[in-house]
């Protein structure tokens, strides 16, 4: 792990969760303390915490935090409760968190895992603090596994990066988006550690600026050269031969290798293909969705018009947060289990997810 590692999440006092509020970056490193499912749902919806793997981890930790709080309360709300927190509470909390953002499949995967862990613990008689502890242990395991998968992605991904490479990335797929060193940026960090003298071109990532605000911030802290460009400059930069490869993260990868990621990713894939540049996607196994046969099945989040127009002036806008890049435009998918090459269908099936 780089000496400058930035955790975007931590456990807080009394089983609460501490979150680095990413909407305040880079101006301010503001930490929030969250102890309820309602507050965690709001933090996920408003992108205070974001990035597919980190959303999943945050939701799991938020669930455990609320369980701790409820378990610490003197009495269950109804005398008939068999144990508090209850199964009804768990089901409702899981539904609420899972609905916070629709595209990143990691959220659904981790919530389902937490739900099963909670129900299983209840069946074996755990209530109150014991149940809360079981949920916290599961959330910590999800976090630890993600950190390990990021490291493995970094090791595999760096093999695709030549010394001196100028790497274009979109959005933020680094330490601020995962529980570890990141996915796309994980490969960059490991290449940097191996002395490859890489540099990064971060697309601004309209409309919320994850590239300009977050990728540039975390790379500066790690001492990796990074230049921010407006999204519209990518084509011209490639035409000037100033980009060697593109690597991005993913919010969901369908069974055939179609990739949902931040809006603008599809355009970058088209540009990379046009300029004969490799277009890589880096993602852990938790981002693959065997239930989506192709990208058409992936729900695409649409966000408020005001994120583009800047206010409630009645201006019309369409604001999809993600797009789908067809598998045919992807050179390789870097996973924690190795680098997948086309045809992706059989390669993904062989991951056994
Ligand atoms: O809307 P965001 O900021 O949550 O979108 C994040 C992305 O699109 C990332 O590229 C993706 O989640 C991969 S993060 C490792």
């Amino acid at each position: 792990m780089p000496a400058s590692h930035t955790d975007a999440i931590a456990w807080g006092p009394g089983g609460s969760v501490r979150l680095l509020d990413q909407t305040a970056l880079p101006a301010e490193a503001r930490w929030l303390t969250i102890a309820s499912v309602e507050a965690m749902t709001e933090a996920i919806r408003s992108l205070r915490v974001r990035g597919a793997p980190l959303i999943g981890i945050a939701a799991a930790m938020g669930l455990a935090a609320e369980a701790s709080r409820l378990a610490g309360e003197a009495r269950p709300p109804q005398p008939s409760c068999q144990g508090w927190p209850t199964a009804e509470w768990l089901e409702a909390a899981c539904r609420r968190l899972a609905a916070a953002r629709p595209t990143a499949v990691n959220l659904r995967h981790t919530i389902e895992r937490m739900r099963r862990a909670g129900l299983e613990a209840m069946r074996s008689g755990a209530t109150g603090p014991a149940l809360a502890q079981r949920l916290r242990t599961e959330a910590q395991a999800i976090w630890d596994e993600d950190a390990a998968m990021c490291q493995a992605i970094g090791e595999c991904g760096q093999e695709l990066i030549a010394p001196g490479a100028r790497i274009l990335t979109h959005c933020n797929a680094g330490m601020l988006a995962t529980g570890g060193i990141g996915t796309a940026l994980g490969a960059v960090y490991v290449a940097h550690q191996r002395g490859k003298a890489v540099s990064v071109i971060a697309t601004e990532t309209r409309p919320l600026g994850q590239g300009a605000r977050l990728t540039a911030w975390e790379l500066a802290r790690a001492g990796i050269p990074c230049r921010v460009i407006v999204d519209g400059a990518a084509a011209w930069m490639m035409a000037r031969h100033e980009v060697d490869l593109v690597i991005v993260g993913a919010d969901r990868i369908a069974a055939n290798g179609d990739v949902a990621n931040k809006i603008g990713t599809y355009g970058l894939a088209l540009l990379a293909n046009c300029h004969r540049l490799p277009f890589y996607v880096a993602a852990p196994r938790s981002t693959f969705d065997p239930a989506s046969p192709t990208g058409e099945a992936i729900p695409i989040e649409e966000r408020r018009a005001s994120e583009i127009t800047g206010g409630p002036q009645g201006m019309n806008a369409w604001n999809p947060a993600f797009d789908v890049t067809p598998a045919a435009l992807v050179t390789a998918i870097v996973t924690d289990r190795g680098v997948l090459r086309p045809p992706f269908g059989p390669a993904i099936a062989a991951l056994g997810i």
Side-chain angles (χ1 to χ4, degrees):
M1 196 170 278
S4 56
H5 186 86
T6 307
D7 270 334
I9 200 164
W11 292 108
S16 62
V17 181
R18 305 253 301 141
L19 269 190
L20 182 57
D21 182 350
Q22 299 193 29
T23 61
L25 287 174
E28 190 192 338
R30 179 198 300 159
W31 284 84
L32 309 171
T33 301
I34 288 187
S36 73
V37 163
E38 186 184 354
M40 186 57 85
T41 305
E42 188 282 331
I44 293 172
R45 273 217 185 97
S46 57
L47 271 64
R48 298 186 196 288
V49 58
R50 36 122 338 257
L54 190 59
I55 292 170
I57 295 164
M61 289 172 71
L63 196 65
E66 182 160 288
S68 294
R69 192 171 51 78
L70 294 174
E73 285 174 0
R75 286 164 154 268
Q78 297 153 16
S80 62
C81 283
Q82 286 300 302
W84 180 246
T86 62
E88 291 72 28
W89 163 80
L90 181 65
E91 297 284 4
C94 286
R95 274 197 302 276
R96 187 170 197 169
L97 283 163
R101 294 194 76 191
T103 304
V105 77
N106 308 58
L107 179 60
R108 258 148 219 77
H109 287 160
T110 61
I111 285 299
E112 181 52 22
R113 186 167 155 181
M114 292 293 287
R115 193 181 77 89
R116 280 207 207 127
L119 292 177
E120 208 177 286
M122 287 179 201
R123 272 197 294 275
S124 52
T127 59
L131 175 61
Q133 184 53 48
R134 176 70 193 86
L135 290 173
R136 182 180 167 125
T137 302
E138 194 67 24
Q140 184 63 53
I142 289 168
W143 183 1
D144 293 344
E145 286 165 27
D146 186 65
M149 287 193 288
C150 285
Q151 193 60 44
I153 289 169
E155 305 284 344
C156 292
Q158 70 83 25
E159 287 175 18
L160 303 170
I161 299 175
R166 298 157 303 172
I167 303 163
L168 188 142
T169 190
H170 189 52
C171 196
N172 172 267
M175 295 173 190
L176 293 172
T178 64
I181 60 170
T183 55
L185 291 190
V188 172
Y189 286 123
V190 177
H192 173 75
Q193 274 177 328
R194 303 269 159 93
K196 287 191 173 175
V198 294
S199 61
V200 172
I201 301 134
T203 49
E204 181 190 18
T205 315
R206 287 281 301 149
L208 297 180
Q210 289 93 329
R213 293 188 301 108
L214 307 178
T215 296
W217 183 79
E218 70 164 87
L219 289 176
R221 284 168 60 94
I224 299 177
C226 173
R227 267 199 296 173
V228 177
I229 58 170
V230 298
D231 296 340
W236 183 230
M237 204 169 195
M238 289 181 190
R240 287 162 51 104
H241 306 289
E242 292 182 33
V243 178
D244 296 307
L245 64 99
V246 179
I247 185 163
V248 297
D251 281 79
R252 193 186 294 221
I253 301 178
N256 72 338
D258 289 350
V259 175
N261 192 48
K262 181 53 57 189
I263 189 75
T265 302
Y266 175 36
L268 289 171
L270 288 167
L271 289 175
N273 275 256
C274 232
H275 291 91
R276 297 198 162 78
L277 293 171
F279 181 86
Y280 299 124
V281 174
R285 275 166 296 148
S286 52
T287 299
F288 288 82
D289 181 18
S292 293
T294 71
E296 274 186 46
I298 300 177
I300 298 294
E301 176 183 2
E302 293 190 14
R303 296 185 61 85
R304 289 192 318 271
S306 60
E307 288 182 351
I308 303 177
T309 62
Q313 309 96 324
M315 286 191 275
N316 200 5
W318 179 50
N319 187 15
F322 302 96
D323 58 26
V324 175
T325 299
L329 296 176
V330 178
T331 310
I333 304 177
V334 185
T335 76
D336 52 294
R337 288 279 168 86
V339 177
L340 313 185
R341 300 273 179 184
F344 291 118
I348 291 171
L351 289 174
I353 299 160

